[in-house]
Amino acid sequence: MRIATWNINSVRARADRAVAWLESSGTDVLALQETKCKDEQFPHAVFEAAGYEVAHVGRSQWNGVAVVSRVGIEDVEVAFADQPGFGEDGPVVEARALGATCGGVRVWSLYVPHGRSPDHPHYAYKLAWLEQLRRNAEGWLEADPAAQLALLGDWNVIPYDSDVYDVTAFEGHTHVTQPERDAFFAFADAGFTEVSRVHVPEEGRYTYWDYQQLAFPKNKGLRIDFAYTSPALTDRVTGVSIDREARKGKGASDHVPVVVDLED
DNA sequence: ATGGCCTAGTTGCTAGGA
């Protein structure tokens, strides 16, 4: 089975591109982030015509996450327990996490809050969000140590200095602060393995390139999209790839898919 | 090659992204 994660940066603008990629890559389950639409606006028909079922949560033009699958979708959750919210007029739970069981694997599509700047309330929200997700993940493993869990998504954290083209460009910014990195690595402490690092250990293998200033041709990117797997699922992983071909051409998302292969 | 921001809504500017 082949599973993947991709921040699509508007599913309405790129539904055809996403389905073409699903078919050409032979992907069975895809976690999408930043669909940027409400549920009723999601282009279901485009995916269904290709044989994929869709579970989506989107409440506005912002955020939005989905799981699409051709091996079934069961037990959909549109948030994790006690998922922190954000808002000027009181916290509102955003469409940033969706869980679904596909082909026996519990897949979570995750869009971690950006943080905006280290002194912005969004930054505290980001840390709280990651901590509460990690508590849930620990609980899922505690309840079933043999659970096959995949935490897939745009983590909005640059774990190592080598995961950015020039770390000095991020001084004073989010993504590289120690609390964010600690929150990211806490999932490893909880028993999960970030399998893209295992199979794609080389530096300069980014998953995101800004649209501006020829960032992609110059390979001035960030590595911020990751796949954490539980021990039982890690045992099944045969390979991981980052499909930078998907960044090419007019109309590309600024992120590319991270693909995880599992033995049957 | 891969090419000098993009998307959607409150549209002709603004917010958000990283």
Side-chain angles (χ1 to χ4, degrees):
Chain A
M1 191 160 80
R2 173 166 276 185
I3 66 177
T5 181
W6 194 3
N7 180 321
I8 196 69
N9 186 8
S10 174
V11 73
R12 283 180 287 176
R14 276 177 266 284
D16 291 338
R17 204 180 172 102
V19 169
W21 183 85
L22 278 167
E23 293 182 326
S24 65
S25 65
T27 297
D28 300 298
V29 182
L30 175 61
L32 291 168
Q33 298 87 39
E34 281 209 87
T35 58
K36 290 185 172 174
C37 67
K38 299 176 183 176
D39 289 338
E40 60 267 28
Q41 298 172 308
F42 192 99
H44 287 272
V46 182
F47 289 86
E48 285 165 5
Y52 290 85
E53 295 175 275
V54 176
H56 174 257
V57 59
R59 304 186 179 103
S60 70
Q61 81 220 68
W62 306 118
N63 315 305
V65 287
V67 170
V68 308
S69 169
R70 62 179 183 189
V71 291
I73 294 190
E74 295 169 4
D75 302 324
V76 175
E77 292 180 89
V78 296
F80 52 80
D82 301 316
Q83 183 178 315
F86 184 77
E88 306 288 324
D89 309 314
V92 175
V93 174
E94 298 178 308
R96 293 180 177 274
L98 184 142
T101 301
C102 307
V105 178
R106 186 67 181 166
V107 173
W108 280 90
S109 180
L110 304 167
Y111 179 44
V112 176
H114 174 283
R116 299 188 188 161
S117 72
D119 60 355
H120 194 283
H122 210 259
Y123 177 81
Y125 167 51
K126 179 180 193 174
L127 294 180
W129 200 95
L130 280 167
E131 182 179 357
Q132 188 56 31
L133 173 62
R134 191 254 306 157
R135 285 184 180 168
N136 273 273
E138 287 175 344
W140 299 329
L141 264 190
E142 213 171 275
D144 179 11
Q148 300 195 39
L149 306 167
L151 311 181
L152 310 175
D154 175 357
W155 291 74
N156 268 322
V157 176
I158 297 169
Y160 299 102
D161 288 355
S162 55
D163 291 331
V164 50
Y165 62 94
D166 177 9
V167 75
T168 65
F170 273 72
E171 277 176 23
H173 291 251
T174 59
H175 292 60
V176 297
T177 69
Q178 200 56 50
E180 288 167 277
R181 288 176 167 178
D182 291 346
F184 178 80
F185 288 120
F187 288 83
D189 298 335
F192 289 78
T193 302
E194 202 293 286
V195 290
S196 85
R197 188 74 61 182
V198 175
H199 292 269
V200 187
E202 303 84 7
E203 295 184 1
R205 300 297 299 275
Y206 305 127
T207 64
Y208 163 91
W209 299 261
D210 198 287
Y211 286 121
Q212 301 183 58
Q213 297 174 314
L214 290 171
F216 182 55
K218 294 177 178 172
N219 199 30
K220 291 177 72 171
L222 312 178
R223 186 165 181 166
I224 53 176
D225 299 271
F226 297 104
Y228 267 116
T229 55
S230 63
L233 192 61
T234 302
D235 287 344
R236 287 181 61 195
V237 176
T238 58
V240 178
S241 61
I242 299 170
D243 184 9
R244 82 188 293 287
E245 292 295 311
R247 185 64 178 80
K248 297 179 181 180
K250 187 175 166 61
S253 170
D254 43 7
H255 294 250
V256 295
V258 177
V259 183
V260 179
D261 282 313
L262 305 171
E263 64 186 5
D264 295 327

